[in-house]
Amino acid sequence: MADDGSVTTSAPRSAGATAAVRAYAQERIEWRALNIASIVFFAGAVAFGVAYGLKGDTFYLRLATEALIFGAVALSVDILLGFAGLLSLGQALYFGLGAYAGALVLKQVSESFWLVMGVSILVGVLSGLIGGLIAIRARGVYFALITYGLAQIVAKVIYNTRELGASDGITGIPIVNVSFGFWQTKADNPAGFFFVVLAVIAIIYLGLLYLSGTPFGRALSGVRINENRMPFLGYRPDRLKLAAFVLASTIASIAGGLYPMLRGFVSPELMYFDASTNAIVATMIGGTGTLIGPLYGSVILVFLKSMIGTITTHQIMVIGALFMIVVIFFPRGLLGYLREIVVARSRTKDGGGP
Amino acid sequence: MLEIRDLHSHYGFSHVLQGVNLTLRPGECVGLFGRNGVGKTTTMRAIAGWIKQISGSITYNGQEIGGLASNAICRLGIGFVPEDRRIFPGLTVEENLKLGLMQTAGRSGAQEAAALERAYDLFPRLKQRYRQMGTTLSGGEQQMLAIARVLVGDQKLLLIDEPTEGLAPQIVDEIFAIMRKLKSEGHAILLVEQNVKRALDITDRICAMERGRIILEGDGNSQADRDALMKAIAV
Amino acid sequence: QDIKVGALPPFTGPFASIGQVIKVALDMRAAEINAAGGIMGRKVVLVYEDGESNPATATQRAEKLFQVDKVDFLTGTVHSGLTLAVGQVAERNNRLLATTVSFSNAITGDRCSPNVFRVNPSAGMQASALALWAADFKKGAKVYYLGPDYEMGRSTIAEFKKEAEKLGATTAGEVYAPLGAKDYSQFFGQMRAARPDVLYMSTGGTDSVRLLSQLKEYGLTNMKLIGNSAAVTSDNLDAMGNAAEGFITSGNYSTLIDTPANKVFAEKFKAAAKIEANLYAADTYTVLDFYKAAVEKAGSVDADKVRAAMRGLAWDGVAGKKVMRAGDHQAIQDMYALELKGKTYHPLAKVDGEKAAGPDLCTKW
Amino acid sequence: MSSADDIVLETRGLSVNFGGLRAVDNVDIAVRRGGITSIIGPNGAGKSTFYNLVTGAIRPTAGKVFLEGREITGTPTHKLSAMGLSRSFQITNLFPQSTVFENLRLAAHALEPWSLSLLPVGRAKRAEAKAEALVERFGLGSKATEMAGHLSHGEQRRLEIAVALACDPKILILDEPTQGMSHTDTEEASRMVRDLSKEITIVLIEHDIDIVMDLSHTVVVLAQGRKLAEGPPAAVRANKDVQTAYFGAH
Amino acid sequence: MLDYMQFVLAPQMLNGFAFGIAIVLMALGLTIIFGLLDVINMSHGEFFAIGAYAGVVLLASGVNFWVAVALVPLLMLPVGVLTERLLVRQVFDSADRHTLTLLLTLGLSMIFYDGLKMVFGPNPLRPDNPIPGGIEVAGVFLPAYRMFLIFLGAAIIAAVWAIIYKTSLGAMIRAAAFDRNMASSLGVPVSAVYSATFAFGTALAGLAGILLAPIFSVFPTMGHEFIVIAFTVVIVGGMGSIKGAVLAGLLLTQVQAIASLIISPVWTDPILFGIMVLVLMFRPQGLFGRLGHG
Ligand SMILES: Nc1ncnc2c1ncn2[C@@H]1O[C@H](COP(=O)(O)OP(=O)(O)OP(=O)(O)O)[C@@H](O)[C@H]1O
Ligand SMILES: Nc1ncnc2c1ncn2[C@@H]1O[C@H](COP(=O)(O)OP(=O)(O)OP(=O)(O)O)[C@@H](O)[C@H]1O
Ligand SMILES: [Mg+2]
Ligand SMILES: [Mg+2]
C-alpha cells in the first residue's frame, strides 16, 4: 500500500517521528495532567496531615482518613469501570468483608496491623475469586445487577448471623498499634493513623498506575472497548475480567481492613447499596479511568456529606441531585475534563487531524 | 432538486467536509467518487440528517433541510441506503421491510402490499427468508434487504452508499439493473460506489471528491470527463 | 455558658418516623427546661445530626458532635447497632450517651458500656411483661409466632417464647418471614392449619401494616393478636385501618396512664407532632429530665461525675417513676399490658418493673 | 506435494444447521501450506458461516476441523489464535475507542507470554516494533494516533487486516478484505495479500472475481452450503455449474 | 397429606400466583424501558411509589377507586415524558450511556424518594381494599381483590405483548430501539417514540403502584423494596423480554412460595438469587434475550 495514506488527510506528519513515538507522546500528554493532579493530591494530603496534626485536630483528620479509606473503594470501582468497563454496584461487599475480617482478627486473634492487612488481602482475593467467577459471566448491565444482588445477599446473611453480631455488628475492636520498625503510631492517634492510611493508599495508587501502563492494563482496556474481538487475538477476556475483579475486590478489602481500626466497629450497613453507590459517585465526580480522580471524588464527597448532614436532613436529595448534575454536565468527571483540556491544547499545537 | 452549498462538518477535532458544493436535478443520477475517507459517506449522512454538526446549506426543492430531524427529511421524499446496511437485528426480514413503508405516508393498504410484493419480486431470496431475524442474513442478503427496505417507500431522491459492497457478481448486475430502472421511473439518485467502471454506466453526472471537497465535476457520458475522473481518484 | 446536648435521630432511612418523634419530644422538653431556668441556670442547647440508621455515618457524625460541637451529652439514637457503635465513640471521647428507643438486650447486657445508659425498657423486659399477661389470658394457650427474619425479630420471639412456655403456653408454629416481606399470605395456609389461639408478632413498621391488613383480607380474625411494642405504633396505625383493633402489647407507656405529668405531656405532644404520643416520645421526653437530675446531682457536666450521679438515680418519667440500675445502666420501671382500642392503647394490667427486668447481666464494671 | 504435512487446514464433513436451514452442508476442504486458497460463492452460500465454524465462533452440528493435523473442532477461539489461526471480519470489528497504534499493539501483545504482561510497556519492544511495522506497511502512518472508530470505512478495513496480521498467524483467514476499498486501494490490497502469501497461508473470501482469479492457486466454490467445485482458478471458471450459480451474465 | 395439599400447598401456590402477577406488572415497565431504550431505569421503583401515592391522594380527595385506577397511569405519563426529555436524553449519545443512564435514574430515584417522604411523611398509608371479602372454594379462601388482580394483570400483560410484537407500531418502536438513525431515516419519529415508550413504562409502574396499594400499603421506601425482586425477575427472564418477565415472575414467585414452605422463608432470597446466578451462568442473556429477539 502507498507508504503514505495521506490522501485522506491534510495533517503533515511530524517529521521523522515513528508512529510508536507519536503514540507515546500522545499518551504522555494524556497522563501528564493526571500525574500533576496526583502529585498535588498527595502533597496536599501530607501538608494537611502535618498542619492539622500540629494543630491537634481530631475530627477533620479522622474524617480525612475515612475519605482516604473510601477513596480506595472508589479506586477499586475505577479499576472495574474505567479499565475493564464493568460497573460494579456492589463494591461495598468486598469492603465490608475486609472490614469484618479485620474486626475479627483484631478482636479474636491478634492486635496486629500487619496481620489484618495480610488477612484482608487474602479475604479480598478469595471473595473476589468467588464473586468474580459468578459475576463476570454476565455482561454489561447484567454484571452491574449481579454484583448488586451479590452484595445484597451477603449483607443479608451477615445481618442474620448471630456469630457476626447480626444487625448490631461487632463493636469493641481494640485500638491497634501500627509499627513500621522505624516509626510507630496508634490507630487512635488522628495524625499518625492518617499517615498510615495515606501510605497504604499511595502504595495502592502507584501500583495501579504502574499496571495501567502494562500490557495487562492495556488488555483490560481492550476488553472494555471490544470484548468480542479479544479472543480472536488470543486473549481470554474472562480471565482478564476475573483478574480485574480480584484486583478490585482486594483493594476494597484492604480498605475494609483499615476501617475497624479507625472506627472501632463494623456493621452490615458497610456493605449496603448506599456504600457502593457512594464509591461510584466519588468515581464519577473525580473522573472514571483516571485513577487519581476517584481519590479526589472521595474526599469531596465525604466532606460534602459531612457538611450537608448538618445543614439539611434531605441529604439523599442533595446526593441524588449531585449524581444527576455530575452525570449530565460532567460525565467525564473533574479530572476527565482536565485531561481533555490538556489533550485539546496539545492537539491544536500539533495542528490537528484532517 | 437538491442543492448543497459550502457544506462543512466536524467530527471532534477533525474537519471532515471542507466546503462541499453539489447540485442534483430531478431524475438525475449523480455519482460521487473518491478514495477512502474523503468524506463521501459524511456527505450522505449530512443530507440524511444523521450529522448535526454541520454548517453551510442543504436545500431540497427550495426548502432548507440542514438541521432537520432525519424523519422529517425522509418525509420530504429522501431515501437513504447507508453503507453499513443497518438492518434492525431484533426484527424479522419482513418487519424490516415493512418499516420501509413508513417513508411514504398516506398510501392505501393495497398500495403498500403492492410495494412489498414488488420488493420481494426484485429479491426473491428475501422472500425465502422473510421470517428470519434480519441480522442472521448473510452479508449480501443484508445488503439486498437494505436496498429493498428503501425501495418499498416512494422516495423521489435516493442516497445510495456503496450498494454493491459484498455482493456476488450476479447480484451486482441485478442491483445496477434496478438502479437503472429506478432512474427510468424518474427517481433521482446520489450514488457512492467504488466500482467506478460499472457505476459510470448509469451516472449522468460525476463528481470526484478529495479531502472533503468536490474537486471535479463532469458529464457522466463524456469520455474526457470520465478519464479526468479516473485520474483524479486514482492518485 | 450553655449545656450542649447532641442528638443523632434517624431523619432518613427505615426509622425516619421515629426520628421525627424524637425531635419533637426533645425540642419540647428542652424548651420547657429552658423556660424554667435551664440546668443549674445554664441553657440547654440541642445539636442535631442525622444518624441515618447507618452506624458508619452515625459514628462519624457523633465524632463531629463531640469534637467540633463539643456536646456534653448525646441521645436520640434508634437503631441498636448504631447505639452500640456510637456508644463506643462516646467511650473513646469520654462522654455519655443515653438511648431512649434501642431495645437490643446487648446494650445493657453483654455489650454494656460504662458510658451508655438506657432509659426505655429492653426487649427482655417487654417480653416477660407480655408473657405474664398471656399466661393469665388463657391457660396453656396455643401460640403461633411470626417474626421478621433477622436478629431482633428472632430474639424478641425467643425471649417471649421462653417466658411464655415457662408459664404454660404451647407453641402452635413458628415462622420467620424475610424482613420487609411483601406478602404474608404465603404463611397463612400453615397458620390456618395450626389453629392457634394467639398470634405473637415481632414485625415492625410497614411489615406490620401488611401483615395485619393481609390477615384481615384473608379473614384470619379468630385469634388474639399480640406482639412487641414496636409492632403497632402511632406511626403505622393509620395505615392499618381497624385491622389492628384489639392488638395487645406490653410497654411502659400509654397516653391513658393516669399521672398528672402524662395528661399534660400527651396533649402537648399531640398538638406539636400531630400524632398521639407513644413510647418513643415519652422516653425521649424524659431523657432530658434524667440528664438534668444527674447534672444537678453531680454539680457538673463532667462525664465521670455525671456517670456516678446517674447510677442508681431515681427520677419521675412521664408515666411513673424510673430508676437507673447502677449495675447495667438499665432504667427500671413499671410495665403494662396494653390493648389497642380505637387508636389508643389502654392499660390492661401492670407488671412490676424489677420482675420484668430480670437480673443484671453486665460484667464490665 | 500432497503429503499430509502440507495440509494446514482441513475440514471433514463440516455441517451446521440453523433451525431448518443447513447453512453449511458436509464440506470437505483441505488448504495446502503457502499460497492463497479462495472461497467464493453467491451471497448466502455459507462462506462466512464456514469461517465461523473453522475459527470456533460457532459449533458445528457435524464434522471436524483440523489445523496442522490436530483436531481443533470446538477449541476455544483464543487458543486457536495462539495456534496460529487468525481472521479478519467481514463486518469491521475493531477497538474503536483505541488509537490505530493501540489496536495493533494490543493484537501484537496477545501472544507474548503471560509473565510479560505485568511488565511495563517500554520493555515489550517486540510487539511494538511489529505494530510500528504494520502501521507503515498498511499506510496508516498518518493516522497512528487517531481513534480507530474515527477512520473512514476503507481505512478501517485496512486496519482490520493489519490487526489480524499482528497476531503472527501461520494461517490467515480474510473475509472480504477489499470490501469497501476504493479501486486503487483494492489493487494495492491484492498486491499486499500476494506478498503476504509468501510468508503465510491465506484463505480468502472475496467477491471481486478478478482478484480471486489473479491471486489464488486454488478456488473453492460454495453454493447453498455445499461445495460445488474446487480446483485451479481457470478450471473453476470454466465449470458450467459455477457459471450458472455464481457468475451470472457478467 | 391431602389436607396438606388442600389447605397449605394449594393456597400457597395461588397466593404465589397473585403476587407473581403483581410483580410481573411492575417488571413489565422495567423490561420495556430496558428493551426498547436500553436504559436500566433505577427510578422505576419510585415511579411505582409515585403511582401509589397519587392513588392515595386521589382517593383521599373523594375519587372512586376505579376512577383512580384509570387516572393514575394518565397522570404518570407526563412524569415519564419529562424524565425522558430532561434527563435520559441528555446522555443518550454518550458511548457509555448504559452506565450513565443507570446512574442518572439512580440519582433521580433518590430525589423522588426523599421528595415523597417530604410531602407525605415517613409513615405508611394504605387505601382500603375496594373489594373486601372473598370466596371459599373447597376449603381454600380466595380473596376477591387478588382474584381480580390476577385477571386484570393477565389482561394488561397480554395487551402490552400484543402491542409490541403484533402491531406495526410495535415494530416501529423496536426499530427505533435498535438503530435510531436508520429508523429515523425510514420515517419513524424516533424522538416521540422514545418519550412515548418511556412514558408508557412509567405509566405501567404507576398502575402497578395503585393496584397493589391496598394489599401492600404505601410508604416512601416501597420503591426500592419492590425493585429488587422486579430486577431479579427481569434478569432471569432476560432484560427486555416480555415473555421472559412473565415466565420468570410467575416461576420465581412460585419457587419463593414453595421454598418458604418446605425449606424456610429465610432462604427464599438466597434461593432466588441462586436461580438468577444459575440462569446467568448458562444463559448470560437470561431465559429470553432482549426484546425483539423472540
Ligand atoms: N465518527 C467519526 N468520528 C471522527 N472522524 C470520523 C468519523 N467518521 C468518519 N470520520 C473521518 O471522516 C473522514 C471521512 O469519512 P467518510 O466515512 O465520510 O469517508 P468515505 O469517503 O465514505 O470513505 P470510505 O470510502 O472509506 O467509506 C475520514 O477521514 C474519517 O477518519
Ligand atoms: N444464525 C442464523 N440463523 C439462521 N440463518 C442463518 C444464521 N446465520 C446465517 N444464516 C443463513 O445461512 C446462510 C449462509 O450465511 P453466510 O453468512 O455464511 O453467507 P455468505 O456465504 O458469507 O454470504 P455473503 O457473501 O453474502 O456474506 C444465509 O442464507 C443466512 O441467512
Ligand atoms: Mg463511506
Ligand atoms: Mg459473508
Side-chain angles (χ1 to χ4, degrees), chain A residues 234-294:
Chain A
Y235 288 104
R236 299 193 57 173
D238 49 347
R239 285 248 183 111
L240 287 165
K241 286 198 286 183
L242 185 62
F245 198 93
V246 171
L247 183 66
S249 63
T250 308
I251 289 170
S253 178
I254 292 173
L258 293 170
Y259 187 81
M261 301 184 199
L262 177 72
R263 293 294 182 203
F265 81 97
V266 293
S267 74
E269 282 83 359
L270 294 178
M271 305 184 183
Y272 278 13
F273 187 49
D274 291 357
S276 294
T277 46
N278 280 339
I280 297 169
V281 184
T283 310
M284 294 290 299
I285 293 177
T288 39
T290 62
L291 288 182
I292 191 68

Side-chain angles (χ1 to χ4, degrees), chain B residues 11 16 36-42 83 194, chain D residues 150-154:
Chain B
Y11 285 120
V16 178
N36 295 131
V38 295
K40 306 180 294 292
T41 299
T42 308
E83 70 183 345
Q194 293 296 0
Chain D
H150 293 178
L151 298 183
S152 81
H153 184 64

Side-chain angles (χ1 to χ4, degrees), chain E residues 29-194:
Chain E
L30 197 62
T31 208
I32 285 176
I33 290 181
F34 177 78
L36 299 178
L37 300 183
D38 229 0
V39 171
I40 295 271
N41 181 15
M42 298 298 276
S43 50
H44 195 74
E46 272 60 38
F47 290 153
F48 169 75
I50 292 174
Y53 273 107
V56 168
V57 170
L58 286 175
L59 294 175
S61 59
V63 176
N64 173 286
F65 184 82
W66 306 109
V67 178
V69 166
L71 278 179
V72 165
L74 296 180
L75 292 175
M76 295 303 290
L77 290 176
V79 178
V81 171
L82 287 179
T83 308
E84 199 274 335
R85 294 260 150 148
L86 299 182
L87 300 176
V88 175
R89 188 158 294 189
Q90 305 300 320
V91 297
F92 221 74
D93 291 320
S94 160
D96 40 19
R97 67 163 208 255
H98 265 144
T99 313
L100 293 184
T101 49
L102 190 150
L103 297 177
L104 199 57
T105 50
L106 188 62
L108 185 67
S109 79
M110 293 179 182
I111 292 184
F112 278 150
Y113 155 71
D114 213 27
L116 284 176
K117 210 186 68 189
M118 194 153 70
V119 177
F120 296 99
N123 296 340
L125 306 167
R126 192 177 59 89
D128 278 332
N129 185 342
I131 343 179
I135 36 168
E136 204 155 320
V137 178
V140 176
F141 184 82
L142 310 173
Y145 188 64
R146 293 198 186 218
M147 293 302 112
F148 160 76
L149 263 192
I150 291 181
F151 288 114
L152 182 67
I156 294 173
I157 293 162
V160 170
W161 183 84
I163 290 175
I164 291 187
Y165 288 105
K166 293 292 156 195
T167 66
S168 56
L169 176 72
M172 207 164 92
I173 294 174
R174 282 180 287 147
F178 286 116
D179 188 335
R180 250 184 321 160
N181 279 332
M182 194 60 231
S184 186
S185 269
L186 291 173
V188 176
V190 171
S191 152
V193 165
Y194 280 178

